[in-house]
Amino acid sequence: MGPDDDSFDPEREEGREVAAEAGRESSDFLSLLPHYYRGEVGQMSTGVSRLDLTVDWAIGLLAAVLALSFATPDSPPYFLLIGMLALSILLAFDLRRYRSYDATRARVRLIEENVFANAFDPDGAVHREWRRAIADDLRKPTLKVSRREAMTRRLRRVYFPLQSVLLVAWIFRITVFVSGEDWLETASVPGIPGTVVVAVVLGYYLALLGVTVWPTPRQAKGEYHDVNPGEWKDEDEE
C-alpha cells in the first residue's frame, strides 16, 4: 500500500472493525490467538519476576537487620522493629503486584482451559462464554482477587514466616542476648517506654497472625491447591 493509497480509512466502520473479521473466522482467530497468548504469558512472567524481586528484597532486608542487631551487645534492638516495619511496607508493594499478576494469570488460564486443553482432548470448553469474558476484561480490566485474600496468601507464603523470624530474634535480643539488663528497659525505644513497645509489637504480631489464619473465600484460581494428583504425577512431587 503506497503513501497515496487511501483505501484504508481508520475512521470508517470497516477500518474500526477490522479485528472483528478475525473473531468471526475460526482460521483467522486461531492465527491471532497464539500471538495474544504469548503476550499474556510474557506479561504474567514479568509479574512473577516482580514478585520474586520483592521477596528477594525482603530476605535481604531480614539478613541485614539480623546482622546489625546482633553485631555487638551495644547494637540497639529497635533495628529489628525497623525491619518489621520495612517488611510491612514491602508487603504493601507485594499485594498490588500479586493482584496484577493474578489478573493476567486468570486470562491465561481461560485460554489454556478452553483452547489448548480442548485441542489436546476435545471434551468441550470449560467456560461457555470464555471469549466474551476475556473481551470484557480487556475492555475493562479488573482485579480478580480481593486485597484481603491477597494479603492472607502472601502472608502465609512469605511474609508471616519472615516476620516471625524477626519477632523471635527481637525477643531473644531483649531477654537473653545481653545479661544483667532489665528486658523491659532493653526493649524501650528513645522516648517510648518498654511496656508500650512490647504491647505494640505483640498486638501487631497478633493482628498479622489473625489475618494469616483467618479463613477467606477463595477468589484466586489456585488450581494447585487441594487437587488430587493424576496418574502421571506422583504425590511426593506436589
Side-chain angles (χ1 to χ4, degrees):
M1 183 179 293
D4 297 330
D5 191 349
D6 59 352
S7 60
F8 177 77
D9 185 359
E11 298 295 330
R12 300 176 62 182
E13 182 178 358
E14 56 269 24
R16 296 193 307 270
E17 304 297 334
V18 62
E21 295 298 325
R24 297 187 184 98
E25 296 292 335
S26 60
S27 59
D28 293 342
F29 176 74
L30 291 177
S31 298
L32 177 66
L33 184 63
H35 301 289
Y36 167 70
Y37 176 74
R38 282 195 295 268
E40 289 284 19
V41 170
Q43 186 174 348
M44 186 179 69
S45 299
T46 300
V48 172
S49 298
R50 295 178 68 196
L51 284 173
D52 291 342
L53 181 60
T54 309
V55 174
D56 290 342
W57 290 345
I59 295 174
L61 172 69
L62 176 68
V65 168
L66 290 176
L68 288 173
S69 299
F70 292 97
T72 65
D74 296 329
S75 299
Y78 58 76
F79 280 158
L80 294 166
L81 303 183
I82 295 175
M84 293 180 187
L85 177 61
L87 280 182
S88 301
I89 295 174
L90 287 176
L91 174 61
F93 284 113
D94 190 280
L95 291 181
R96 178 66 185 182
R97 292 181 175 186
Y98 177 79
R99 297 177 76 195
S100 298
Y101 154 75
D102 179 77
T104 304
R105 180 175 179 269
R107 292 193 296 268
V108 169
R109 290 296 296 128
L110 273 177
I111 297 173
E112 292 174 346
E113 287 176 320
N114 297 281
V115 179
F116 296 113
N118 204 24
F120 285 112
D121 182 16
D123 194 31
V126 177
H127 302 278
R128 183 174 181 180
E129 298 291 334
W130 67 271
R131 291 180 61 179
R132 185 182 299 276
I134 293 178
D136 290 343
D137 198 59
L138 290 176
R139 290 187 176 100
K140 296 181 179 180
T142 57
L143 298 172
K144 309 299 183 297
V145 59
S146 67
R147 182 177 294 274
R148 179 180 175 184
E149 182 183 354
M151 180 177 292
T152 297
R153 299 189 74 181
R154 297 309 289 168
L155 280 171
R156 288 175 182 174
R157 294 184 177 185
V158 180
Y159 290 92
F160 187 75
L162 296 182
Q163 292 280 20
S164 298
V165 170
L166 286 181
L167 178 67
V168 172
W170 179 73
I171 293 175
F172 177 80
R173 177 63 182 79
I174 65 175
T175 56
V176 179
F177 187 68
V178 178
S179 61
E181 291 185 4
D182 180 69
W183 67 275
L184 284 176
E185 181 179 350
T186 306
S188 64
V189 175
I192 304 176
T195 53
V196 175
V197 174
V198 171
V200 171
V201 171
L202 294 182
Y204 178 70
Y205 185 82
L206 289 176
L208 284 182
L209 178 62
V211 175
T212 302
V213 302
W214 192 266
T216 56
R218 181 178 293 278
Q219 297 176 13
K221 293 287 287 183
E223 292 96 336
Y224 297 121
H225 300 274
D226 301 324
V227 177
N228 294 325
E231 294 179 355
W232 73 305
K233 185 171 179 60
D234 189 357
E235 287 190 20
D236 295 336
E237 298 178 1
E238 285 281 326

